Amino acid sequence: MERIPKQPAPAVAPNLADYDEAVARFRWEDAAAELDGLPGGGLNIAHEAVDRHLGHGRGDRVAIRWLGKRGDRRDLSYAGLARETSRFAHALEKLGLEPGERVFVLMGRLPELYVAVLGALKARCVVSPLFPAFGPEPIATRAEMGDARVLVTTPELYRRKVQGLRSRLPGLRHVILVGETDDALAAEPGVQRWSSLVDAMPDRYVIGPTTAETVSLLHFTSGTTGRPKGAVHVHGAVLAHLVTGRFALDLHERDVFWCTADPGWVTGTSYGIIAPLVCGVTNVVVEAEFDPATWYGVLESERVSVWYTAPTAIRMMMKLGTEALQGRDLSALRFMASVGEPLNPEAVVWGVKAFGMPFHDNWWQSETGGIMVSNYAAMDVKPGSMGKPLPGITAAVVHREPDGGLTLVDQAGTDGELALRAPWPSMMRGYLHEEERYRKCFVDGWYLTGDLVRRDADGYYWFVGRADDVIKSAGHLIGPFEVESALMEHPAVAEAGVIGVPDPMVGEVVKAFVALKPGFEASEALGRELLGHARQRLGAAVAPKSIEFKINLPKTRSGKIMRRLLKARELGLPEGDLSTLESDERTGVQP
C-alpha cells in the first residue's frame, strides 16, 4: 500500500516540522528546560500538569471539560483543578498517609478521578488507577500486590466488587466513596464520603520534596501467563509526556484534545490526564462508552482539534460506514492518532476517506511509559507502519543470541525484536516485587520489548507480532497482524484474528477467524474468495489455509483481539482465567 503524503500546510505549524533535524538536535536536557520544576527544586508531575500553569497566566483556561453520560457537563479551569487537587492532597494527609504509600482509584470517567490522581501525586503518594470493568478478583489481586492503603471508588463499585473482599486487604485502611452514599455504608470501618472529607479541606497545598526518581505511578500489565506485572514509574516521566504530547500528538496550547482511553489503562493516565495537562490544552473527558453518534457529536460540538483513539473504535466506525459523518462540521479536527494495537493499513486509508486525514499510528508499552515510535504530523504516513522513533529515543532491530548477547540487525526488511537504548525519562524503574524479571528485560544497555518488527529502507518500523504470537510454518515466521491486515482490505471483512494451528508436516498452518461487515453473509463461496484474496496479497506460504466466520471475535476489555483465546478454543485447551486474559494489555485503550 502506497504512502499517504503529509497533509497540506495546516493553519498551525507542526511542532516537529523536520524529523531528521529534530533527531539531530534533540537533547532531553534541553527539553527539560521547558518544565518549571518545584519552587524549592525537584520535579512533581502534578505541579507540572496543574499548578505551574497559574504562574504563566493560564489559570482561567479550561483544563478538563467533562461531559456526563446523562447530558450534564462541568468545566474545571487550571486554577480550579489546582484548588481541587490541593484539597485531595490535604485529605490524604489528614488520613495519615505518608509519601510513597499507594492510592488506588477505581471508577468511571468522573471529575473526581482526575482530581484524585493528581491530588495523590501532589501528596507524593503512588497512584494506581484500576479499570472499572474489572471483576472482583483482578481488583483484589492488584490491591494486594500493590499494598493499597486508600481506595477511591463509587458506592456501586464498592458494593459489587470490593466490599466482599475487604478481608483479603488488611492494609486497605481507607475507602473514599464518590457520590451518594447511604448511612449504613458510610458507617463501615474506614469508609469516608468524598463530600465530607475532601470538600472541607484547604484549597492550597505546598508540595513536599519530590525528585525525578520519586515513584509516582504503578501500572499493572499482564504477561502471557498468570499474575499481572506492576510496572513502576517515576515523576521524571513527565518530561517524556511533555515531549511526546508535543511531537507525537502535535499538541499546541490552544488545542482541544480528546483521548478516548480509560484512565484504568496506562494510555488513559499518560495521555488522558498527564500529557494534555502538561501541554496546557483543554482536555475533553467523556463519561459515556463508545457510540458512533455520540462520539461524532463530541468531535463536532466541542470543536476537538486533536483526537487520540483506538483501532477497535476505528474498526467499529468503519463497519458502519461514512454515512454517520454526513452533515457533521468537523473542521476543527486537524490531527488524529491511534494506539492500543497495530492499526491496519485499511483503517489508515479509511481515515482519509472519512475525515480527510489519516490516523497516525504509534507504538509504546506500559513499560516504556510513553510513546516511543510514531507517525508525525509533518511526515508521510505509510499505512500499517508504526512510524519512526521519537527524537531522543534510539531504537534498533536485534536478534537474541544463544549466549545471551544481542546482534543488531542492519539490513532493512529483516525481522527481529524491537529494542530501545536505555534509559529515557518515562522508562519503568522496576516490576513490583520482581527484580529478577525486570533485569531480564535489559541486555547490554538495551530494553527488549518482546515485539517483533522490521525496519524498512526509509527508517519506518513495522509491527510483525508479539514474539509468542508469531506463527512458524515450514520454516517461515509469519506475523498474524500482516495476515489480518491483508484480510481487512477485502470489502466484506470487518475484523480478523489469525492463529497458528499445529500441523505434523509444517509445524503450524495459518487459520483466520473473520467477522463480516453488515450486508455480507458467511458462505463457502465467500470463504474461498477471502482465501484467494489473501493468497494474492501475501503468497501461498503466508496466506491462511482455512477461514472460519464468527459473528464477533473475542477481545480484551480494551478491544484487542484475543488470539490466545481463539487458539485455546480451537485446540480445546483450558481457556484460563478470562479476567486475566482480558487484562493482558500493552497499551490498553477502552474504546
Side-chain angles (χ1 to χ4, degrees):
M1 191 171 288
E2 295 185 2
R3 70 175 68 194
I4 298 172
K6 59 187 177 183
Q7 301 302 291
V12 179
N15 288 316
L16 195 159
D18 185 312
Y19 176 79
D20 292 330
E21 181 184 355
V23 169
R25 297 180 59 182
F26 182 85
R27 299 291 182 273
W28 286 111
E29 296 81 2
D30 297 336
E34 298 187 48
L35 297 173
D36 284 14
L38 290 171
L43 192 65
N44 184 285
I45 290 175
H47 176 77
E48 301 302 327
V50 185
D51 292 32
R52 77 182 180 103
H53 294 297
L54 278 61
H56 293 279
R58 296 188 283 266
D60 292 337
R61 183 177 300 170
V62 175
I64 292 175
R65 172 158 293 156
W66 178 76
L67 308 179
K69 59 186 176 183
R70 295 180 178 85
D72 43 344
R73 56 190 294 138
R74 179 184 176 191
D75 279 358
L76 261 176
S77 68
Y78 278 95
L81 188 58
R83 291 190 292 270
E84 295 298 324
T85 53
S86 291
R87 289 189 178 103
F88 190 79
H90 278 296
L92 293 179
E93 286 192 351
K94 182 178 180 180
L95 294 177
L97 253 70
E98 299 289 338
E101 292 192 297
R102 281 85 184 248
V103 176
F104 279 61
V105 182
L106 173 71
M107 70 178 79
R109 291 181 287 266
L110 298 173
E112 289 85 355
L113 182 152
Y114 300 81
V115 171
V117 169
L118 294 163
L121 291 173
K122 278 189 174 182
R124 295 177 292 159
C125 294
V126 178
V127 183
S128 187
L130 294 173
F131 186 42
F134 274 152
E137 186 58 37
I139 292 169
T141 297
R142 286 156 176 77
E144 281 181 313
M145 289 180 63
D147 193 19
R149 288 287 181 264
V150 171
L151 173 67
V152 185
T153 187
T154 65
E156 179 191 10
L157 288 172
Y158 177 71
R159 284 195 187 93
R160 289 198 293 116
K161 303 188 178 190
V162 180
Q163 190 176 34
L165 297 174
R166 281 291 298 274
S167 60
R168 283 179 53 180
L169 305 171
L172 182 59
R173 297 196 298 260
H174 304 284
V175 176
I176 302 173
L177 296 180
V178 175
E180 292 187 12
T181 304
D182 61 55
D183 292 340
L185 203 58
E188 285 193 14
V191 172
Q192 306 263 359
R193 289 185 174 97
W194 175 290
S195 56
S196 301
L197 173 67
V198 180
D199 291 349
M201 291 291 120
D203 63 5
R204 291 181 180 273
Y205 183 86
V206 178
I207 299 174
T210 315
T211 73
E213 292 301 310
T214 300
V215 177
S216 59
L217 292 156
L218 178 62
H219 290 297
F220 285 96
T221 175
S222 293
T224 54
T225 57
R227 200 166 172 84
K229 300 172 290 184
V232 176
H233 290 281
V234 296
H235 280 271
V238 72
L239 178 55
H241 297 141
L242 172 72
V243 171
T244 54
R246 291 202 175 149
F247 284 176
L249 299 179
D250 197 42
L251 291 177
H252 294 69
E253 275 195 10
R254 293 296 176 181
D255 273 322
V256 176
F257 174 71
W258 182 23
C259 172
T260 65
D262 190 283
W265 301 121
V266 65
T267 300
T269 302
S270 293
Y271 296 100
I273 303 178
I274 300 170
L277 296 179
V278 170
C279 291
V281 308
T282 293
N283 189 31
V284 174
V285 174
V286 179
E287 183 186 12
E289 301 300 340
F290 175 76
D291 170 73
T294 300
W295 277 29
Y296 291 149
V298 169
L299 291 171
E300 181 179 32
S301 64
E302 304 309 319
R303 306 291 292 167
V304 172
S305 54
V306 179
W307 184 29
Y308 196 24
T309 191
T312 300
I314 296 168
R315 289 194 298 264
M316 293 172 73
M317 289 184 284
M318 289 173 64
K319 191 173 182 179
L320 295 174
T322 59
E323 291 79 7
L325 281 163
Q326 292 179 2
R328 296 281 189 187
D329 177 9
L330 303 182
S331 57
L333 188 62
R334 64 173 179 81
F335 189 79
M336 307 189 304
S338 169
V339 75
E341 59 178 314
L343 188 62
N344 305 94
E346 194 66 20
V348 180
V349 175
W350 181 81
V352 178
K353 177 183 177 182
F355 298 94
M357 67 192 79
F359 285 97
H360 295 72
D361 199 13
N362 54 57
W363 176 96
W364 58 294
Q365 299 176 327
S366 298
E367 288 85 348
T368 71
I371 297 167
M372 298 285 103
V373 183
S374 183
N375 288 278
Y376 305 96
M379 229 170 59
D380 293 352
V381 173
K382 292 187 177 184
S385 167
M386 298 153 54
K388 294 185 178 183
L390 182 80
I393 297 298
T394 300
V397 180
V398 303
H399 289 161
R400 301 195 194 205
E401 300 300 335
D403 63 2
L406 297 178
T407 298
L408 271 62
V409 177
D410 294 325
Q411 185 175 358
T414 301
D415 292 358
E417 187 172 356
L418 176 62
L420 305 174
R421 174 64 74 182
W424 60 91
S426 61
M427 185 184 82
M428 67 170 176
R429 298 305 199 263
Y431 282 132
L432 188 67
H433 310 315
E434 296 188 88
E435 182 59 33
E436 180 61 25
R437 187 177 198 172
Y438 175 71
R439 284 199 299 267
K440 287 181 178 178
C441 294
F442 299 87
V443 176
D444 297 335
W446 293 93
Y447 166 67
L448 303 179
T449 67
D451 278 1
L452 298 184
V453 299
R454 67 176 66 100
R455 184 182 57 243
D456 68 19
D458 296 322
Y460 287 74
Y461 282 74
W462 300 76
F463 182 79
V464 174
R466 286 294 293 174
D468 49 9
D469 275 345
V470 171
I471 301 164
K472 303 173 180 67
S473 180
H476 300 284
L477 295 179
I478 301 169
F481 175 69
E482 183 178 22
V483 182
E484 292 163 359
S485 294
L487 287 168
M488 284 192 61
E489 292 177 14
H490 192 282
V493 177
E495 292 184 315
V498 168
I499 64 169
V501 177
D503 181 88
M505 291 294 292
V506 297
E508 289 182 300
V509 295
V510 180
K511 178 171 182 177
F513 298 84
V514 168
L516 299 175
K517 293 178 181 177
F520 293 90
E521 292 187 3
S523 67
E524 289 187 16
L526 180 56
R528 289 193 297 270
E529 182 180 331
L530 293 176
L531 289 172
H533 166 80
R535 280 194 294 269
Q536 185 177 17
R537 285 283 292 109
L538 302 168
V542 178
K545 300 298 184 289
S546 63
I547 285 180
E548 183 176 330
F549 293 103
K550 296 279 190 182
I551 296 176
N552 291 297
L553 299 181
K555 300 180 184 71
T556 65
R557 292 195 182 278
S558 68
K560 291 194 290 187
I561 293 169
M562 298 168 71
R563 298 190 188 106
R564 289 191 291 117
L565 186 53
L566 285 170
K567 191 162 188 172
R569 291 173 177 173
E570 175 69 17
L571 302 181
L573 300 174
E575 296 180 5
D577 180 0
L578 195 57
S579 65
T580 299
L581 286 169
E582 289 182 332
S583 63
D584 185 8
E585 298 299 320
R586 274 192 308 125
T587 50
V589 179
Q590 171 67 6

